Amino acid sequence: LRLCDGLPRLRYTGNMEVFRQVMRECCVQEGFRVVEWSVQHNHIHMVCEAEGKDALTRGMRVINIRLAKRWNKLWRRQGPVFEEPYHVVELKTPTQVRHALVYVLQNASKHGVWRADELDPFSTARVFGGWRDREAEPCEEECPRAEARTWLLREGWKRARGGRPRVTEQPRRHSLRP
């Protein structure tokens, strides 16, 4: 999800409080789950599971509308918040899922806004249980997310080349291209 130009940066307390509240309300819906996410200054990455295109569309629509309404209220403005509804890359293989997890969870270090050897607090990286060299922390209130149900997102990605990533692993360039 990419913000329209000219809007406030998202990686601030008030904006993140709104985002986390919406995730608490919407990360689990019928046929749709947000499993991992990261918030950057002007965009949001999410790894989701959906039981088809309709469930994905419904789930993302709920998230988009709630975020837009609440951020507009917080920012005392009206108008569109997101450039387009969302961009989707369907993940079909363990390797694609592994690359997507690293890309999403380590996106802040890719952009140079967070140290590569620390877990980004503006993401679910701290509660992610797949790091090779770090245990997951219990911070569900700050990192609302859904548990993965599909084999690919629960176990399959660990069989990909490289296995479980280290906290310092950087996303590959263009790793989320279809």
Side-chain angles (χ1 to χ4, degrees), residues 36-37 105-106 119-120 123-129 131 136 143:
E36 305 295 348
W37 51 261
L105 298 174
Q106 296 294 73
L119 298 176
D120 182 12
S123 75
T124 55
R126 293 184 293 163
V127 295
F128 176 64
W131 298 117
C143 304

Side-chain angles (χ1 to χ4, degrees), residues 64-79:
N64 286 358
I65 290 169
R66 288 190 188 189
L67 285 173
K69 283 183 176 182
R70 291 181 192 177
W71 278 332
N72 272 337
K73 183 177 179 181
L74 177 69
W75 300 333
R76 298 182 177 138
R77 68 177 295 277
Q78 293 180 335

Side-chain angles (χ1 to χ4, degrees), residues 129-140:
W131 298 117
R132 184 183 308 180
D133 51 352
R134 184 71 89 32
E135 293 294 319
E137 296 176 19
C139 63
E140 286 79 21

Side-chain angles (χ1 to χ4, degrees), residues 1 19 22-29 31-38 44-50 56 59-60 62-63 67 104 124 127 143-149 153:
L1 298 169
F19 179 80
V22 170
M23 284 296 103
R24 279 190 283 283
E25 296 168 6
C26 303
C27 71
V28 178
Q29 300 174 46
F32 174 83
R33 291 167 298 287
V34 178
V35 178
E36 305 295 348
W37 51 261
S38 70
I44 302 164
H45 292 286
M46 290 186 255
V47 177
C48 303
E49 293 178 327
L56 177 66
M60 291 303 296
V62 168
I63 290 171
L67 285 173
V104 168
T124 55
V127 295
C143 304
R145 58 191 277 280
E147 290 298 320
R149 291 187 188 166
L153 205 46

